[in-house]
Coordinates of all heavy atoms in Angstrom, one line a residue:
L1493 N -43.1 39.9 50.1 CA -44.3 40.7 50.5 C -45.5 39.8 50.3 O -46.5 39.8 51.1 CB -44.4 41.9 49.6 CG -43.3 43.0 49.8 CD1 -43.6 44.2 48.9 CD2 -43.3 43.5 51.3
I1494 N -45.6 39.0 49.2 CA -46.7 38.1 49.0 C -46.9 37.1 50.1 O -48.0 36.9 50.6 CB -46.6 37.4 47.6 CG1 -46.7 38.4 46.4 CG2 -47.7 36.3 47.4 CD1 -46.3 37.8 45.1
M1495 N -45.7 36.5 50.5 CA -45.7 35.5 51.5 C -46.2 36.1 52.9 O -46.9 35.5 53.6 CB -44.4 34.8 51.7 CG -44.0 34.0 50.4 SD -45.2 32.7 50.1 CE -45.0 31.8 51.6
R1496 N -45.7 37.3 53.2 CA -46.1 38.0 54.4 C -47.6 38.3 54.4 O -48.3 38.2 55.4 CB -45.3 39.2 54.7 CG -43.8 38.9 55.1 CD -43.8 38.2 56.4 NE -44.2 39.0 57.5 CZ -43.3 39.6 58.4 NH1 -42.1 39.4 58.3 NH2 -43.8 40.3 59.4
A1497 N -48.1 38.8 53.3 CA -49.5 39.1 53.2 C -50.4 37.8 53.4 O -51.4 37.9 54.1 CB -49.8 39.7 51.8
L1498 N -50.0 36.7 52.8 CA -50.7 35.5 53.0 C -50.5 34.9 54.4 O -51.4 34.5 55.1 CB -50.2 34.4 52.0 CG -50.8 33.0 52.1 CD1 -52.3 33.1 52.0 CD2 -50.2 32.1 51.0
G1499 N -49.2 35.0 54.9 CA -48.9 34.6 56.3 C -49.7 35.3 57.3 O -50.1 34.8 58.4
E1500 N -49.9 36.7 57.2 CA -50.6 37.4 58.1 C -52.0 36.9 58.3 O -52.5 36.8 59.4 CB -50.7 38.9 57.6 CG -51.5 39.8 58.5 CD -51.4 41.3 57.9 OE1 -52.3 41.6 57.1 OE2 -50.5 42.0 58.3
M1501 N -52.7 36.5 57.2 CA -54.0 36.0 57.2 C -54.0 34.5 57.8 O -54.9 34.1 58.5 CB -54.7 36.1 55.9 CG -54.9 37.5 55.3 SD -55.7 37.6 53.7 CE -54.4 37.0 52.7
S1502 N -53.0 33.8 57.4 CA -52.9 32.3 57.8 C -52.7 32.2 59.3 O -53.3 31.3 59.9 CB -51.8 31.6 57.0 OG -52.0 31.6 55.7
V1503 N -52.0 33.1 59.9 CA -51.7 33.0 61.3 C -53.0 33.5 62.1 O -53.3 32.9 63.1 CB -50.5 33.9 61.7 CG1 -50.4 34.0 63.2 CG2 -49.2 33.3 61.1
Y1504 N -53.6 34.5 61.6 CA -54.8 35.0 62.2 C -56.0 34.0 62.1 O -56.7 33.9 63.1 CB -55.2 36.3 61.5 CG -56.5 37.0 62.0 CD1 -56.4 37.8 63.2 CD2 -57.7 36.8 61.4 CE1 -57.6 38.4 63.7 CE2 -58.9 37.4 61.9 CZ -58.8 38.2 63.0 OH -60.0 38.8 63.5
D1505 N -56.0 33.3 61.0 CA -57.2 32.5 60.8 C -56.8 31.3 59.9 O -57.1 31.2 58.7 CB -58.3 33.2 60.1 CG -59.7 32.5 60.0 OD1 -59.8 31.4 60.7 OD2 -60.5 32.9 59.3
Y1514 N -60.0 32.9 52.4 CA -59.9 34.3 52.9 C -60.6 35.3 51.9 O -61.2 36.2 52.2 CB -58.4 34.8 53.0 CG -57.6 33.9 54.0 CD1 -56.4 33.4 53.6 CD2 -58.2 33.5 55.2 CE1 -55.7 32.6 54.5 CE2 -57.5 32.7 56.0 CZ -56.2 32.2 55.7 OH -55.5 31.4 56.6
A1515 N -60.4 35.0 50.5 CA -61.1 35.8 49.5 C -62.6 35.7 49.7 O -63.3 36.7 49.5 CB -60.7 35.4 48.1
R1517 N -64.3 34.9 52.5 CA -64.8 35.5 53.8 C -64.6 37.0 53.8 O -65.5 37.7 54.3 CB -64.0 34.8 54.9 CG -64.4 35.4 56.3 CD -63.8 34.6 57.4 NE -64.3 35.2 58.7 CZ -63.9 34.8 59.9 NH1 -63.1 33.7 60.0 NH2 -64.3 35.4 61.0
Y1518 N -63.4 37.5 53.4 CA -63.1 38.9 53.7 C -63.3 39.8 52.4 O -63.3 41.0 52.6 CB -61.7 39.0 54.1 CG -61.4 38.3 55.4 CD1 -60.6 37.1 55.4 CD2 -61.9 38.7 56.6 CE1 -60.4 36.4 56.6 CE2 -61.7 38.1 57.8 CZ -60.9 36.9 57.8 OH -60.7 36.2 59.0
W1519 N -63.5 39.2 51.3 CA -63.8 39.9 50.1 C -65.2 39.7 49.5 O -66.1 40.5 49.8 CB -62.7 39.6 49.0 CG -62.7 40.3 47.8 CD1 -63.6 41.3 47.4 CD2 -61.8 40.2 46.7 NE1 -63.3 41.8 46.2 CE2 -62.1 41.1 45.7 CE3 -60.6 39.4 46.5 CZ2 -61.4 41.2 44.5 CZ3 -59.9 39.5 45.3 CH2 -60.3 40.4 44.3
M1832 N -54.6 38.3 43.6 CA -55.8 38.2 44.5 C -55.4 38.1 45.9 O -56.1 38.5 46.8 CB -56.6 36.9 44.0 CG -57.2 37.1 42.6 SD -58.5 35.9 42.3 CE -59.9 36.5 43.3
I1833 N -54.2 37.5 46.2 CA -53.7 37.5 47.6 C -53.5 38.9 48.1 O -53.9 39.3 49.2 CB -52.4 36.7 47.7 CG1 -52.6 35.2 47.5 CG2 -51.7 37.0 49.0 CD1 -51.4 34.4 47.4
A1834 N -53.0 39.8 47.2 CA -52.7 41.2 47.6 C -54.1 41.9 47.9 O -54.2 42.6 48.9 CB -51.9 41.9 46.5
I1835 N -55.0 41.8 46.9 CA -56.3 42.4 47.1 C -57.1 41.9 48.3 O -57.7 42.6 49.1 CB -57.2 42.2 45.8 CG1 -56.5 42.9 44.7 CG2 -58.6 42.8 46.1 CD1 -57.2 42.6 43.3
T1836 N -57.0 40.5 48.5 CA -57.6 39.9 49.7 C -57.1 40.5 51.0 O -57.8 40.7 52.0 CB -57.5 38.4 49.6 OG1 -58.1 37.9 48.5 CG2 -58.2 37.8 50.8
N1837 N -55.7 40.7 51.0 CA -55.1 41.2 52.2 C -55.6 42.6 52.5 O -55.9 43.0 53.7 CB -53.6 41.3 52.1 CG -52.9 41.7 53.3 OD1 -52.6 42.9 53.5 ND2 -52.7 40.8 54.3
L1838 N -55.8 43.4 51.5 CA -56.4 44.8 51.7 C -57.8 44.7 52.3 O -58.2 45.4 53.2 CB -56.5 45.5 50.3 CG -55.2 46.1 49.8 CD1 -55.4 46.5 48.3 CD2 -54.6 47.2 50.6
M1839 N -58.6 43.8 51.7 CA -60.0 43.5 52.2 C -60.0 43.0 53.6 O -60.8 43.4 54.5 CB -60.8 42.6 51.3 CG -60.9 43.1 49.8 SD -61.8 44.7 49.8 CE -61.8 45.0 48.0
F1840 N -59.1 42.1 53.9 CA -58.9 41.5 55.2 C -58.7 42.6 56.3 O -59.4 42.6 57.3 CB -57.8 40.5 55.2 CG -57.2 40.1 56.5 CD1 -58.0 39.2 57.4 CD2 -56.0 40.5 57.0 CE1 -57.4 38.8 58.6 CE2 -55.5 40.2 58.2 CZ -56.2 39.3 59.0
R1841 N -57.7 43.4 56.0 CA -57.5 44.5 57.0 C -58.6 45.5 57.2 O -58.9 46.0 58.3 CB -56.2 45.2 56.6 CG -54.9 44.5 57.0 CD -53.7 45.2 56.5 NE -52.5 44.7 57.3 CZ -52.0 45.2 58.4 NH1 -52.5 46.3 58.9 NH2 -51.0 44.7 59.0
R1842 N -59.3 45.7 56.1 CA -60.5 46.6 56.2 C -61.6 46.0 57.0 O -62.2 46.7 57.8 CB -61.0 46.9 54.7 CG -62.1 47.9 54.7 CD -62.6 48.2 53.3 NE -61.5 48.7 52.5 CZ -61.5 48.9 51.1 NH1 -62.7 48.6 50.5 NH2 -60.5 49.4 50.5
R1843 N -61.8 44.7 56.9 CA -62.8 44.0 57.6 C -62.6 43.9 59.1 O -63.5 44.0 59.9 CB -63.1 42.6 57.0 CG -63.7 42.6 55.6 CD -65.2 42.9 55.7 NE -65.9 41.8 56.6 CZ -66.4 40.7 56.0 NH1 -66.3 40.5 54.8 NH2 -67.0 39.8 56.8
I1844 N -61.3 43.6 59.4 CA -61.0 43.4 60.9 C -60.8 44.7 61.6 O -60.9 44.8 62.8 CB -59.8 42.5 61.1 CG1 -58.5 43.2 60.6 CG2 -60.0 41.1 60.5 CD1 -57.2 42.4 61.0
G1845 N -60.5 45.8 60.9 CA -60.4 47.1 61.5 C -59.0 47.5 61.9 O -58.2 46.6 62.1
Q1846 N -58.7 48.7 62.0 CA -57.3 49.2 62.2 C -56.8 48.7 63.6 O -55.7 48.4 63.8 CB -57.3 50.7 62.1 CG -57.5 51.2 60.7 CD -57.3 52.7 60.6 OE1 -57.0 53.4 61.6 NE2 -57.5 53.3 59.4
Q1847 N -57.7 48.8 64.6 CA -57.3 48.4 65.9 C -56.9 46.9 66.0 O -55.8 46.6 66.6 CB -58.4 48.6 66.9 CG -58.0 48.4 68.4 CD -59.1 48.8 69.3 OE1 -60.2 49.3 69.0 NE2 -58.9 48.6 70.6
A1848 N -57.6 46.0 65.4 CA -57.3 44.6 65.4 C -56.1 44.4 64.5 O -55.2 43.5 64.8 CB -58.5 43.8 64.8
A1849 N -55.9 45.1 63.4 CA -54.8 45.0 62.5 C -53.5 45.3 63.3 O -52.4 44.7 63.0 CB -54.9 45.9 61.3
R1850 N -53.5 46.3 64.2 CA -52.3 46.7 64.9 C -51.9 45.6 65.9 O -50.8 45.6 66.3 CB -52.5 48.0 65.6 CG -52.5 49.2 64.7 CD -52.4 50.5 65.5 NE -53.6 50.8 66.2 CZ -54.6 51.6 65.8 NH1 -54.5 52.1 64.6 NH2 -55.7 51.7 66.5
K1851 N -52.9 44.7 66.3 CA -52.6 43.7 67.3 C -52.3 42.3 66.6 O -52.2 41.3 67.4 CB -53.8 43.6 68.2 CG -54.0 44.8 69.1 CD -55.2 44.7 70.0 CE -55.5 45.9 70.8 NZ -56.7 45.8 71.7
L1852 N -52.2 42.3 65.3 CA -52.0 41.0 64.7 C -50.6 40.4 65.1 O -49.6 41.1 65.2 CB -51.9 41.2 63.1 CG -53.3 41.5 62.4 CD1 -53.0 41.9 61.0 CD2 -54.2 40.2 62.5
A1853 N -50.6 39.1 65.4 CA -49.4 38.5 65.9 C -48.4 38.4 64.8 O -47.1 38.4 65.1 CB -49.8 37.0 66.3
F1854 N -48.7 38.4 63.5 CA -47.8 38.3 62.4 C -48.2 39.3 61.4 O -49.3 39.2 60.8 CB -47.7 36.9 61.8 CG -46.6 36.7 60.8 CD1 -45.3 36.9 61.1 CD2 -47.0 36.2 59.6 CE1 -44.3 36.6 60.2 CE2 -46.0 36.0 58.6 CZ -44.7 36.2 58.9
R1855 N -47.4 40.3 61.1 CA -47.9 41.4 60.3 C -47.1 41.6 59.0 O -45.9 41.3 59.0 CB -47.9 42.8 61.1 CG -48.7 42.7 62.4 CD -48.5 44.0 63.2 NE -48.9 45.2 62.5 CZ -48.7 46.4 63.0 NH1 -48.1 46.6 64.2 NH2 -49.1 47.4 62.3
L1856 N -47.9 42.1 58.0 CA -47.3 42.4 56.7 C -46.5 43.8 56.9 O -47.1 44.8 57.3 CB -48.3 42.6 55.7 CG -47.9 43.2 54.3 CD1 -46.9 42.3 53.6 CD2 -49.1 43.4 53.5
P1857 N -45.2 43.8 56.6 CA -44.5 45.1 56.7 C -45.0 46.1 55.7 O -45.5 45.8 54.6 CB -43.0 44.7 56.3 CG -43.0 43.2 56.5 CD -44.3 42.7 56.2
W1858 N -45.1 47.4 56.1 CA -45.5 48.5 55.3 C -46.9 48.1 54.7 O -47.1 48.3 53.5 CB -44.5 48.8 54.2 CG -43.1 48.7 54.7 CD1 -42.5 49.6 55.5 CD2 -42.1 47.7 54.3 NE1 -41.2 49.2 55.7 CE2 -40.9 48.1 55.0 CE3 -42.1 46.6 53.5 CZ2 -39.8 47.3 54.9 CZ3 -41.0 45.8 53.4 CH2 -39.8 46.2 54.1
A1859 N -47.8 47.7 55.6 CA -49.1 47.1 55.2 C -49.9 48.1 54.3 O -50.7 47.6 53.5 CB -49.9 46.6 56.4
R1860 N -49.8 49.4 54.5 CA -50.6 50.3 53.7 C -50.2 50.4 52.2 O -51.0 50.7 51.4 CB -50.6 51.7 54.4 CG -51.3 51.8 55.7 CD -51.3 53.2 56.2 NE -52.0 53.3 57.5 CZ -52.3 54.5 58.1 NH1 -51.9 55.6 57.5 NH2 -53.0 54.5 59.2
V1861 N -49.0 50.1 52.0 CA -48.5 50.2 50.6 C -48.1 48.9 50.0 O -48.1 48.8 48.7 CB -47.3 51.2 50.5 CG1 -47.8 52.6 50.9 CG2 -46.1 50.8 51.3
S1862 N -47.7 47.9 50.8 CA -47.2 46.6 50.3 C -48.1 46.0 49.2 O -47.7 45.5 48.2 CB -46.8 45.7 51.4 OG -45.7 46.2 52.1
P1863 N -49.4 45.8 49.6 CA -50.3 45.2 48.6 C -50.4 46.0 47.2 O -50.5 45.4 46.2 CB -51.7 45.3 49.3 CG -51.4 45.3 50.7 CD -50.2 46.2 50.8
W1864 N -50.3 47.3 47.3 CA -50.2 48.1 46.1 C -48.9 47.9 45.3 O -48.9 47.9 44.1 CB -50.5 49.6 46.4 CG -51.8 49.8 47.0 CD1 -52.1 50.1 48.3 CD2 -53.1 49.8 46.3 NE1 -53.5 50.2 48.5 CE2 -54.1 50.1 47.3 CE3 -53.5 49.5 45.0 CZ2 -55.4 50.1 47.0 CZ3 -54.8 49.5 44.7 CH2 -55.8 49.8 45.7
I1866 N -47.3 45.1 45.3 CA -47.4 43.8 44.7 C -48.3 43.9 43.4 O -47.9 43.4 42.3 CB -48.1 42.8 45.6 CG1 -47.2 42.5 46.8 CG2 -48.4 41.5 44.9 CD1 -47.9 41.7 48.0

Side-chain angles (χ1 to χ4, degrees):
L1493 294 180
I1494 294 170
M1495 294 301 299
R1496 286 296 293 256
L1498 178 58
E1500 180 177 89
M1501 297 182 288
S1502 298
V1503 172
Y1504 179 82
D1505 188 11
Y1514 303 134
R1517 178 173 180 180
Y1518 300 108
W1519 185 357
M1832 294 194 74
I1833 289 174
I1835 297 173
T1836 300
N1837 184 266
L1838 288 169
M1839 299 299 181
F1840 162 75
R1841 281 180 161 262
R1842 184 179 300 175
R1843 286 285 298 273
I1844 66 173
Q1846 293 184 3
Q1847 185 174 356
R1850 284 194 291 267
K1851 296 179 180 179
L1852 288 170
F1854 188 58
R1855 300 174 62 185
L1856 169 66
W1858 318 292
R1860 291 188 177 183
V1861 297
S1862 291
W1864 296 107
I1866 296 170

